[in-house]
Amino acid sequence: MRINNLPEIFIQALPVLKTLTTAGYEAYFVGGSVRDLLLERHIHDVDIATSAYPEEVKELFTHTIDTGIQHGTVTVLYGDSSYEITTFRTESGYQDYRRPDKVEFVQNLAEDLKRRDFTINALAMDQDGEIRDLFDGLTDLNQKLIKAVGDPEQRFHEDALRMMRAVRFMSQLKFTIEAKTEAAIKDHHELLSKISVERIRDEFIKMCLGQNARQAFQVFLNTELSEEVPDFRGKKEQLSVFPSLTFAPSTEASAWAVIIILLKLPNEEIARFMRDWKNSNAMAKRVEEIIYFFDLLSDHTPTSFELYQAGLEVVVSACDVSRILGQPVNSEALVDQYTALPIKKDSELAINGGDLIKWGLKPGPALGENLATIKEKVVSGELANDVESIKEFFLS
C-alpha cells in the first residue's frame, strides 16, 4: 500500500528521513502517526525508527538532544520541529512490568516492530509513502480491531500499561478489542497494580473522554482492570452505571465529577480520592466546585450570586454532569443568566477596600463583610456598579 499525498507534517519531516537513507541507513515513520494517517485522524507528531545507531544519528544532524540515548532515542531539532529518532531495537527483562531491563540495537525493522503493543501501531512508512505492514495491521485497521502483536500475554508482561492503552484506544478510535487480547487482559489484570498511578490516570482519563467511552468502560470493568486502580476495588456495582449513561464527559474535571458521584463519595473524601489518583490540587479544587454546584442544581435554581461565585466554567461543567447523570437542566438559561450579570469577577467591582477606608471604615473584619455585601447587591442587580451609587448605599 502506498500513500501518494502525504500531509504537511510528514512532508516537513521528509528531509530528516532522507538524510538517514542517503547516508545508507534504513529509516521509517513508525507508530501512531502512520496509524492516524491511515485513519485520517489529526496527527500530533511523527516518530522515526532507523537502523542507524544513536551516535551515527548525532553525526548526521547539527542539533540533537540525548532524550533517551540508553534506549536508542535521539531527538533531532530540524527547522521549527523536533523529531524522536530511535534505533531499531529489541527489549527483554521487564522486571517492573513497564521498562525493559535490557535493550539491544538491531538492524532489522521486523525485529523492532514485533516488540510493539498492537498491530495497528506496528506499521511503518518509508520516504516514498510505502506502508510496511508485517503483522497484518492494515487488516485490523479495516476491521476496527485492537489486537496485540504476537502473544498478548507476553506483550502485557512486558508492559502492563498496555492493557489500559487497549481500552483507551478502544474508546478513542471506536474499535473493539480482539477476543484473545481481551482474554489476556482479564487473565493478567493484576499486573496493572505494578504501574504508577500517574500513568494509569493518563490512560484512564483519555478512555473516559473518548467517543466510545461507555463501551470501553464496560470492558474496563469486565476485565477487572477496575480492581487494580485507586479506590475502585469492590466498586464495580456503582461504576457499572457508567456504560449506560447517555452523554460522555466533555472535560477531565467533568469525568472525575461523574465518577465521584457514581461512587457516592461524601464531600469530605473528594480531596483524598483526587490525591489517590495523583491529580493536581487545582484539578481537585475544580472537581469539588463542580460537584458542589451540581448538588446545588439538584436542590434549587441558582441565584445570580451563586452563579457569580461558581464562574462560567463550573456552571457549564455542572450542567454537563447533570445531563450525563440524567438530571437535565436548562443550561442555556443558566448561561444567559450568567452572561447578564453586571460583573463577572471581583476586579470589576467599581470600588475596593481603600474606598471604604476613605469613607470612614476602619481596617478589620468589617471591611471584608461590607465589601461582600456590596458585591452581592451589585451582582443581584439591587445596586448599580458605580462609585456614587455604592458610596450612597454605604453611607446610608
Side-chain angles (χ1 to χ4, degrees):
M1 180 180 182
R2 183 170 183 169
I3 307 298
N4 294 316
N5 296 308
L6 291 176
E8 184 63 25
I9 192 170
F10 287 101
I11 293 173
Q12 290 178 355
L14 277 176
V16 176
L17 216 64
K18 289 179 177 178
T19 297
L20 289 161
T21 57
T22 300
Y25 304 109
E26 289 185 61
Y28 303 91
F29 296 115
V30 292
S33 62
V34 180
R35 177 200 69 222
D36 289 341
L37 167 65
L38 296 170
L39 292 175
E40 298 183 350
R41 286 168 51 88
H42 174 71
I43 300 167
H44 298 282
D45 50 41
V46 298
D47 293 327
I48 296 169
T50 181
S51 60
Y53 291 135
E55 291 303 323
E56 293 171 327
V57 173
K58 292 172 67 174
E59 288 176 2
L60 291 173
F61 298 95
T62 306
H63 303 292
T64 63
I65 302 171
D66 292 353
T67 310
I69 199 163
Q70 71 276 19
H71 292 139
T73 301
V74 175
T75 296
V76 169
L77 307 179
Y78 188 90
D80 296 327
S81 301
S82 61
Y83 303 97
E84 284 195 356
I85 301 179
T86 303
T87 303
F88 297 156
R89 69 192 191 198
T90 61
E91 301 173 344
S92 58
Y94 303 98
Q95 290 186 32
D96 65 355
Y97 300 96
R98 174 63 184 151
R99 293 177 296 270
D101 298 323
K102 184 179 181 182
V103 171
E104 291 186 10
F105 300 142
V106 295
Q107 298 294 296
N108 187 309
L109 175 65
E111 287 297 312
D112 182 81
L113 293 180
K114 71 189 289 187
R115 68 177 174 82
R116 295 176 184 268
D117 52 6
F118 307 112
T119 60
I120 60 173
N121 295 332
L123 298 166
M125 182 174 69
D126 66 20
Q127 64 190 34
D128 298 319
E130 193 71 35
I131 301 295
R132 305 295 178 91
D133 177 20
L134 306 181
F135 300 97
D136 215 15
L138 290 174
T139 297
D140 293 333
L141 271 185
N142 289 331
Q143 295 181 354
K144 301 184 182 300
L145 202 62
I146 297 163
K147 180 181 179 181
V149 174
D151 180 2
E153 294 191 3
Q154 183 179 347
R155 295 288 82 80
F156 298 146
H157 272 83
E158 291 168 350
D159 183 354
L161 188 65
R162 287 170 171 168
M163 296 185 290
M164 282 299 303
R165 283 169 59 82
V167 291
R168 186 255 285 189
F169 284 129
M170 178 183 177
S171 178
Q172 290 182 322
L173 303 178
K174 293 191 74 173
F175 280 22
T176 56
I177 301 177
E178 181 253 350
K180 187 177 177 181
T181 301
E182 184 173 338
I185 294 174
K186 186 166 187 176
D187 289 344
H188 300 284
H189 65 86
E190 72 281 353
L191 295 179
L192 189 63
S193 64
K194 310 289 186 181
I195 302 299
S196 71
V197 174
E198 291 89 343
R199 290 187 176 275
I200 295 172
R201 179 200 62 217
D202 291 346
E203 299 294 336
F204 176 75
I205 283 298
K206 289 175 183 177
M207 178 190 74
C208 288
L209 299 181
Q211 56 183 337
N212 200 29
R214 291 182 294 156
Q215 289 83 349
F217 204 98
Q218 187 66 65
V219 174
F220 173 72
L221 295 174
N222 292 346
T223 57
E224 299 189 37
L225 288 173
S226 59
E227 296 295 300
E228 308 301 334
V229 303
D231 301 311
F232 281 17
R233 183 176 292 275
K235 302 292 179 62
K236 187 180 292 188
E237 184 176 350
Q238 294 97 311
L239 294 169
S240 64
V241 177
F242 192 102
S244 66
L245 300 176
T246 304
F247 295 87
S250 58
T251 67
E252 180 177 348
S254 294
W256 286 121
V258 169
I259 293 295
I260 288 168
I261 292 168
L262 291 179
L263 290 173
K264 299 180 180 178
L265 291 181
N267 291 338
E268 59 270 20
E269 290 189 22
I270 295 174
R272 188 267 311 158
F273 174 87
M274 295 296 285
R275 284 196 302 272
D276 288 349
W277 275 92
K278 306 299 183 183
N279 283 292
S280 67
N281 290 336
M283 178 59 69
K285 182 175 183 293
R286 177 48 55 91
V287 170
E288 287 182 314
E289 291 170 342
I290 291 170
I291 292 174
Y292 173 83
F293 201 76
F294 166 81
D295 290 339
L296 186 152
L297 286 174
S298 302
D299 182 66
H300 64 269
T301 301
T303 66
S304 293
F305 193 62
E306 286 170 335
L307 287 170
Y308 173 86
Q309 289 177 308
L312 184 59
E313 287 187 20
V314 169
V315 170
V316 171
S317 294
C319 290
D320 184 33
V321 170
S322 294
R323 287 194 301 272
I324 291 168
L325 295 174
Q327 301 177 29
V329 295
N330 191 338
S331 56
E332 290 185 8
L334 288 174
V335 170
D336 289 345
Q337 185 181 350
Y338 178 87
T339 303
L341 295 177
I343 62 173
K344 308 294 192 302
K345 51 188 177 181
D346 292 358
S347 61
E348 294 176 354
L349 192 63
I351 60 98
N352 56 38
D355 295 307
L356 299 187
I357 292 173
K358 285 193 298 184
W359 298 338
L361 186 64
K362 294 181 180 179
L367 188 66
E369 293 170 1
N370 276 269
L371 272 175
T373 298
I374 291 167
K375 180 170 61 179
E376 185 168 357
K377 287 190 174 296
V378 168
V379 170
S380 64
E382 299 175 46
L383 179 62
N385 187 37
D386 62 71
V387 175
E388 290 305 316
S389 297
I390 295 173
K391 183 176 181 180
E392 181 180 347
F393 167 79
F394 175 74
L395 295 176
S396 61

